[in-house]
Amino acid sequence: MLSLELTVRNHREADGSIRYCYVTATGEQSPTLRMRPGDLLELKLRNALVDLGEPATAGAAASGAAPRTHVHKAARPAAEQDPCTSGSMSLTSTNLHFHGLTVPPICHQDEVLKTSIAAGAPPFEYRFRIPAHESPGLYWYHPHIHGFTTAQVLGGASGALIIEGIERANPALAGMTQRVLVIRDQDLMHPDAPPSKSEPVVPRMLIDRDGDSANNGTGYGKPAKDLSINYIPVPYPDYPPAALEMRPGERQLWRVVNACGITYLNLAVLFQHSPQKLGIVAIDGVPLNANGNEDNAVEWRDHAGLPPGARVEFIVTAPPQGLAALLVTRTVDTGQGGENDPNRALAAIVTSPDARPAASTLPSEHEPLPPPALPWLGNVAPVRVRRLYFSEKLSNPADPNSATDYYLTVDGETPKPFDPAASEPNIVVRQGDVEDWIIENRSTELHAFHIHQLHFLLVGWSGVPVDEPFLRDTVNVPYFNGRALEYPSVRLRMDFRDPDTVGTFVYHCHLLEHEDGGMMGTIRVLPAT
């Protein structure tokens, strides 16, 4: 059992930005939660947020967009309302989402549509048991207050969550040192700084309608957001890297969370500018050999792409002593309408025989995981196929600088922003079903599809079959370039076989500006009978 109390706090920095953090009773910030399948979690969340006004960001000023706010009408003060039914979303309300876990979408477990904890309310208890069949791997937790998720997550409110036992799925990892890296984004610390002299000259920097630096297609220039790694900022324009100590030639398991609000990552390890092979062993908390084929246990690549919300776990080998090495994120083409995610350093890998050991080591002794109770998802035929699509439009078509409305629509229906007060879901399925969802992107920017409570299998990419051996809970949907004869799409095999998926929950774009702006829908999973 894991029992703890977290307090979520905020404060305004000297530059006007507002920072958020989870703090334990002993002062630890945003701790990594570690549990095993079958463990009980008792987490009391205390809301100590105060109204500091809107963050002083370029994005809020430029877009003119007001947060989509749903305020519960009640006679009682917010702090006295029932957090399970309040639905009051505001700058100072909060809740928790346990991203990737197959936990029932009910209050005190993983429900985000109505659960809202007001500032000053008594501590709210999250209490649930990790499913016995939950995949060992990396997950994370963060607030999910509609209309205000961006501010809290960009402010730093997030933490890693590990379901122990990955060495049981992949014995090659037994006894290996592990390192958890949480990569977050935040508003630029030096927004008016000129580009670094080490970068090539890039076209004039444009600002998109969200107030962020627009994609310029070069791989350089001002980013939309700064990045930090384990709360150590790596700011534009010079990107002074954090430091990771390793012993020369040492092999470690790096467990990386993209906890960014809008930034895509494309991770690589460079030895003197040369990309090194990364041994990827898990994606989104699920080992690559979850399909039962041990040949899939490790996939060696020289980079790993991560949309916001996704996770990757990989084996990395330290360089020889004295050889310069960096963990970097390469540029990501987010489309004509997307933000700028350029090449930049994240951390210098510093080798020394006397390097301090990383925080923990995986057990050397272990028992293999039991075989899965259900057939591999890729071998199950879907009972139906659904089509959905991402789209955007200006809130005022006559004003090119007006805010953007974001939609995630079931094909055949009229696009409309997500309404948290709606009583009927967008999609209804029955527990036990397996469906294929074809999700198109009819916009000119990259989107990241995420669904709560379950994992899915990517089986198609713009009409081309894909044979991936692993599951995901977050996936990129490529952008429309304005010239193709068909909209780009992904085909996902959605798994509603687990009884813990019964209930009503959400699917959305995990670029949080888009989610807050309405790019979200609800699904209701009915009991099997």
Side-chain angles (χ1 to χ4, degrees):
M1 183 178 80
L2 175 62
S3 180
L4 77 159
E5 181 173 302
L6 292 179
T7 299
V8 61
R9 301 184 182 278
N10 62 339
H11 73 277
R12 187 180 293 278
E13 297 279 6
D15 63 1
S17 63
I18 298 177
R19 309 301 298 155
Y20 292 77
C21 192
Y22 298 107
V23 183
T24 67
T26 59
E28 184 180 3
Q29 297 183 10
S30 299
T32 296
L33 309 183
R34 295 179 178 271
M35 290 167 286
R36 293 186 172 275
D39 280 356
L40 179 67
L41 173 65
E42 293 180 346
L43 190 158
K44 291 183 179 179
L45 180 62
R46 183 184 299 273
N47 184 352
L49 298 177
V50 295
D51 188 353
L52 299 172
E54 292 285 354
T57 66
S63 69
R68 274 70 170 178
T69 309
H70 174 56
V71 179
H72 179 79
K73 305 293 186 181
R76 292 181 298 163
E80 298 179 8
Q81 295 173 23
D82 182 355
C84 286
T85 58
S86 164
S88 177
M89 309 291 172
S90 71
L91 275 170
T92 58
S93 58
T94 197
N95 58 18
L96 276 179
H97 169 48
F98 299 92
H99 185 124
L101 292 182
T102 309
V103 176
I106 59 178
C107 192
H108 298 286
Q109 298 198 40
D110 190 33
E111 197 281 336
V112 299
L113 288 165
K114 298 297 182 184
T115 302
S116 177
I117 307 157
F124 181 83
E125 183 176 68
Y126 285 91
R127 181 185 177 90
F128 57 83
R129 194 170 295 279
I130 303 298
H133 56 269
E134 195 75 83
S135 290
L138 181 60
Y139 303 80
W140 66 299
Y141 59 92
H142 62 85
H144 210 289
I145 289 289
H146 183 60
F148 302 94
T149 304
T150 305
Q152 295 190 20
V153 173
L154 273 179
S158 59
L161 188 158
I162 291 177
I163 303 301
E164 303 278 25
I166 193 170
E167 73 284 349
R168 300 180 63 195
N170 190 334
L173 304 177
M176 190 173 292
T177 298
Q178 59 179 329
R179 188 187 296 270
V180 178
L181 302 175
V182 182
I183 300 175
R184 302 172 173 90
D185 59 0
Q186 63 186 58
D187 290 314
L188 297 178
M189 297 175 65
H190 311 298
D192 300 322
S196 172
K197 293 180 179 179
S198 65
E199 287 196 352
V201 176
V202 299
R204 184 173 65 89
M205 182 56 60
L206 299 177
I207 302 298
D208 67 14
R209 291 190 298 271
D210 296 318
D212 299 310
S213 302
N215 179 28
N216 61 37
T218 69
Y220 296 95
K222 184 185 296 185
K225 303 293 180 187
D226 275 335
L227 294 175
S228 68
I229 181 166
N230 290 356
Y231 284 130
I232 299 173
V234 186
Y236 167 84
D238 296 318
Y239 309 120
L244 298 175
E245 295 184 358
M246 298 179 71
R247 294 187 298 275
E250 179 186 9
R251 281 162 49 99
Q252 292 185 352
L253 175 66
W254 287 10
R255 319 183 83 164
V256 185
V257 182
N258 184 350
C260 296
I262 68 169
T263 303
Y264 290 85
L265 300 175
N266 186 7
L267 301 175
V269 170
L270 308 180
F271 291 1
Q272 290 185 335
H273 308 291
S274 176
Q276 303 299 300
K277 291 295 185 181
L278 309 176
I280 299 175
V281 297
I283 297 287
D284 288 351
V286 182
L288 263 58
N289 58 352
N291 65 349
N293 186 349
E294 292 307 315
D295 291 339
N296 300 134
V298 183
E299 183 169 333
W300 294 94
R301 298 184 183 178
D302 63 6
H303 68 102
L306 282 186
R311 290 87 63 213
V312 64
E313 300 169 71
F314 55 84
I315 300 167
V316 64
T317 302
Q321 188 171 353
L323 189 68
L326 285 173
L327 171 65
V328 303
T329 179
R330 296 170 169 175
T331 184
V332 176
D333 180 7
T334 61
Q336 179 183 355
E339 285 82 20
N340 202 38
D341 289 344
N343 298 290
R344 45 187 150 168
L346 293 172
I349 303 172
V350 181
T351 54
S352 167
D354 302 321
R356 292 174 296 177
S360 62
T361 301
L362 293 169
S364 296
E365 297 183 2
H366 58 278
E367 295 181 1
L369 288 175
L374 297 173
W376 171 243
L377 185 58
N379 296 333
V380 180
V383 298
R384 66 185 61 85
V385 178
R386 299 182 191 269
R387 290 181 176 270
L388 299 85
Y389 62 92
F390 290 111
S391 63
E392 307 174 7
K393 76 174 185 65
L394 292 175
S395 57
N396 180 3
D399 180 5
N401 295 316
S402 63
T404 303
D405 290 331
Y406 298 98
Y407 310 108
L408 179 47
T409 309
V410 176
D411 198 22
E413 298 182 359
T414 302
K416 56 184 179 181
F418 173 71
D419 179 6
S423 58
E424 294 301 317
N426 301 99
I427 295 175
V428 177
V429 303
R430 193 168 291 279
Q431 185 259 317
D433 287 353
V434 170
E435 299 188 348
D436 274 10
W437 289 12
I438 299 173
I439 303 172
E440 291 182 344
N441 188 349
R442 301 182 183 180
S443 78
T444 59
E445 67 175 310
L446 196 60
H447 294 295
F449 176 82
H450 170 60
I451 187 168
H452 290 204
Q453 324 309 141
L454 59 93
H455 284 74
F456 50 76
L457 181 67
L458 177 65
V459 296
W461 185 271
S462 290
V464 179
V466 172
D467 184 20
E468 283 193 344
F470 53 86
L471 303 178
R472 305 172 183 258
D473 60 44
T474 309
V475 67
N476 287 337
V477 185
Y479 63 85
F480 179 54
N481 62 13
R483 302 184 302 274
L485 298 179
E486 295 182 346
Y487 293 113
S489 65
V490 295
R491 185 172 182 134
L492 310 177
R493 188 143 300 164
M494 312 297 291
D495 190 356
F496 303 105
R497 292 176 296 174
D498 196 313
D500 284 339
T501 62
V502 171
T504 302
F505 50 95
V506 297
Y507 54 88
H508 57 86
C509 176
H510 216 283
L511 275 74
L512 301 183
E513 290 176 349
H514 301 174
E515 173 195 317
D516 282 342
M519 197 170 262
M520 184 155 65
T522 55
I523 179 170
R524 181 168 296 157
V525 180
L526 302 175
T529 57

